[in-house]
Amino acid sequence: MSPRKITRSSSTVRARRSAEPRRPGRLLAASVAAAACLCASTVSASAAGPAGADGSASVVSRGVTVPAFYDPPAQLPAADGALVRTEPLPLGLSLPGLDGRRLPGTATRLMYKSTDAGGGPVAVTGAYIEPAAAWQGDGPRPLVALASGTMGQGDQCAPSLSLQHPLTIGEGTVSLGYDNIAVYRFLATGAAVVVTDYAGLGTTDRLHTYVDRVDEGHALLDAARAARSVAGASVTAASRVGLYGYSQGGGASASAAELRSSYAPDVNLAGTYAGAPPADLTEVMKGIDGSALAGALGWSINGFVQSDPELKAVVDAQTNAAGKAALKDTSTMCVGDAILGYGFTRSEKWTASGKPIADVIAAEPKLRAVLDRQRIGTLRPTAPVRLATGVQDDIVGHRQARQLAVDWCRKGAEVTYEAVVLPDLGDKILTNHLAPLLTDQGAAISWLTDRLSGKKTASNCWSMPVQP
């Protein structure tokens, strides 16, 4: 059966067309080098996958087959976190254990129901991994709900797919599962892990609503709920839950920590790690503009237009032909594609006025209102939070992340603030943003593991006036 392609509109589905990679010179070399540094234990993924269990063909996105598992059904369960379907997920990196179980654990692909920012039902995919290692801490086996960093907007970029294929290369697409390292480190402690793909990333009925705080926070909390119902899972409603995320994932975990008391009080939250959280998108967009990850501007705009179709007329009026083409192109891209295609692009090349997107937003009330609604820091997390930010981070700016810690401290939250001090490793080439992910990861995992063991922590809000 020939693979089918889907067409997408701003409110439902959009075209997933192949696009050829562009500007392959120094950006290709930089991308390959970054991939080698970030995840040396990757494996290549097949560009083709099986059809669905019902015999339907699979979606093809930029030359990569997305299994029909990711096609949501017409009807979803009523309860948030309810499982829609599951299937075994072969991990791309695993070993046979002495007792016959695979190391580091047994993985299950998930689809579960969540609620989007507009209050509507949405199918979200992800993965649950039951660890082979025994939990050595106090209490029952805990659960880490992990929110991945930026993967892209194409369905082929979904984190659950990257667990199966840590390195995916298709026709003009490159995706690297760099957060798999954190997944495996948590599994080694004996904690179970559930990974969310976020709304629209993987699932073929809509676009991924990139950095939408409500969509991401709900998807992460509902992943924790869904994990309890997976066949063979040892976690229960009594299991302590930790939220973990860096960059986009840091924003998702921070949002989930704020929303948990009102949206998912049944999640037994013990602690949250939010690394480099994009708390103030107005400031973050300025950092991304002209950087190696400039294509992420397209993902943000695409997602907001999908959530609020009334914005389409505003965006159409404010973008030129190049901008419209970039928005369409980026909608199917992963991080590697965006670096190759749009790295270091200035947003004034996309606007009708020739002004940067930040200036366009500042002059347009509807666009300002969208970003104001995305602000993280207006609510108080009710469980301990560890917030880390690199002082040299010029992509997800250090000052706006530090301000989130200040905002939470003023609301009486229990915050452990960690300013990661490293030398300046290069302007806008992602190194200042990615280095703290690696250097702070061990401390972040240890801190969250202690919370999952029931150990107490002390806030260092008192030190904020002297912290960088």
Side-chain angles (χ1 to χ4, degrees):
M1 183 180 295
S2 299
R4 64 184 173 86
K5 294 191 178 182
I6 56 175
T7 57
R8 295 184 178 267
S9 68
S10 61
S11 60
T12 52
V13 287
R14 305 178 80 185
R16 295 286 189 189
R17 297 184 175 90
S18 283
E20 294 300 322
R22 303 182 299 161
R23 298 170 58 187
R26 67 186 180 98
L27 289 174
L28 177 59
S31 184
V32 171
C37 293
L38 280 173
C39 193
S41 58
T42 58
V43 296
S44 295
S46 168
D54 60 358
S56 61
S58 300
V59 170
V60 175
S61 182
R62 299 180 86 91
V64 177
T65 300
V66 180
F69 180 94
Y70 292 82
D71 293 343
Q75 298 294 324
L76 295 175
D80 290 320
L83 288 175
V84 177
R85 63 174 71 118
T86 65
E87 70 176 18
L89 173 64
L91 293 174
L93 296 173
S94 65
L95 295 170
L98 296 177
D99 59 358
R101 293 185 297 171
R102 301 292 297 181
L103 298 174
T106 303
T108 302
R109 201 186 318 267
L110 315 176
M111 180 181 287
Y112 58 92
K113 186 260 184 181
S114 188
T115 296
D116 65 19
V122 58
V124 181
T125 51
Y128 171 81
I129 306 101
E130 177 73 15
W135 169 243
Q136 300 299 326
D138 290 339
R141 189 190 300 279
L143 174 70
V144 174
L146 190 142
S148 292
T150 296
M151 297 294 286
Q153 201 160 46
D155 288 332
Q156 76 279 12
C157 321
S160 62
L161 287 171
S162 76
L163 284 166
Q164 183 175 0
H165 304 301
L167 177 61
T168 296
I169 300 175
E171 298 171 9
T173 195
V174 180
S175 184
L176 176 68
Y178 56 89
D179 269 321
N180 293 0
I181 300 171
V183 171
Y184 281 51
R185 292 181 75 167
F186 277 117
L187 292 173
T189 71
V193 177
V194 66
V195 177
T196 182
D197 289 339
Y198 302 122
L201 189 56
T203 47
T204 56
D205 62 330
R206 64 179 69 198
L207 277 181
H208 171 40
T209 45
Y210 182 68
V211 295
D212 184 302
R213 68 175 183 89
V214 176
D215 279 12
E216 292 180 339
H218 286 183
L220 188 60
L221 292 167
D222 285 327
R225 288 166 155 165
R228 309 169 192 159
S229 301
V230 175
S234 57
V235 296
T236 68
S239 296
R240 296 187 181 102
V241 176
L243 306 177
Y244 177 96
Y246 187 89
S247 191
Q248 180 189 2
S253 63
S255 175
E258 289 190 343
L259 296 171
R260 173 255 172 187
S261 59
S262 60
Y263 180 75
D266 55 305
V267 172
N268 185 18
L269 186 58
T272 297
Y273 167 68
D280 183 347
L281 295 188
T282 301
E283 293 302 313
V284 172
M285 281 189 168
K286 296 175 184 177
I288 290 174
D289 199 346
S291 75
L293 199 59
L297 293 172
W299 300 332
S300 301
I301 295 168
N302 287 334
F304 294 142
V305 169
Q306 177 179 252
S307 297
D308 185 356
E310 291 184 2
L311 291 176
K312 187 177 187 306
V314 177
V315 172
D316 283 346
Q318 297 289 351
T319 52
N320 58 22
K324 292 177 175 62
L327 293 177
K328 183 177 181 180
D329 195 21
T330 55
S331 71
T332 61
M333 284 184 162
C334 298
V335 170
D337 324 355
I339 293 174
L340 293 171
Y342 295 101
F344 309 106
T345 297
R346 300 295 309 182
S347 64
E348 50 261 39
K349 294 183 178 180
W350 296 350
T351 61
S353 64
K355 296 179 180 179
I357 284 178
D359 290 353
V360 172
I361 292 172
E364 175 52 64
K366 288 185 178 180
L367 297 179
R368 289 203 313 272
V370 168
L371 296 194
D372 288 346
R373 288 196 297 270
Q374 297 302 322
R375 184 67 180 264
I376 304 172
T378 62
L379 302 171
R380 182 177 69 89
T382 55
V385 179
R386 183 180 189 272
L387 190 156
T389 167
V391 298
Q392 300 288 353
D393 196 333
D394 51 0
I395 304 295
V396 180
H398 164 67
R399 293 187 67 177
Q400 62 85 41
R402 184 188 186 281
Q403 185 60 46
L404 174 59
V406 172
D407 292 342
W408 278 343
C409 286
R410 287 173 176 168
K411 288 177 170 54
E414 190 171 349
V415 180
T416 299
Y417 171 75
E418 181 68 28
V420 182
V421 180
L422 295 170
D424 190 336
L425 300 174
D427 184 35
K428 301 266 189 172
I429 59 174
L430 288 178
T431 44
N432 285 324
H433 179 58
L434 293 177
L437 164 67
L438 301 176
T439 60
D440 187 57
Q441 188 175 83
I445 290 173
S446 294
W447 182 91
L448 193 55
T449 301
D450 283 346
R451 306 291 79 73
L452 295 174
S453 293
K455 296 179 181 178
K456 301 297 182 182
T457 185
S459 169
N460 67 352
C461 283
W462 60 269
S463 70
M464 290 305 301
V466 296
Q467 289 267 27

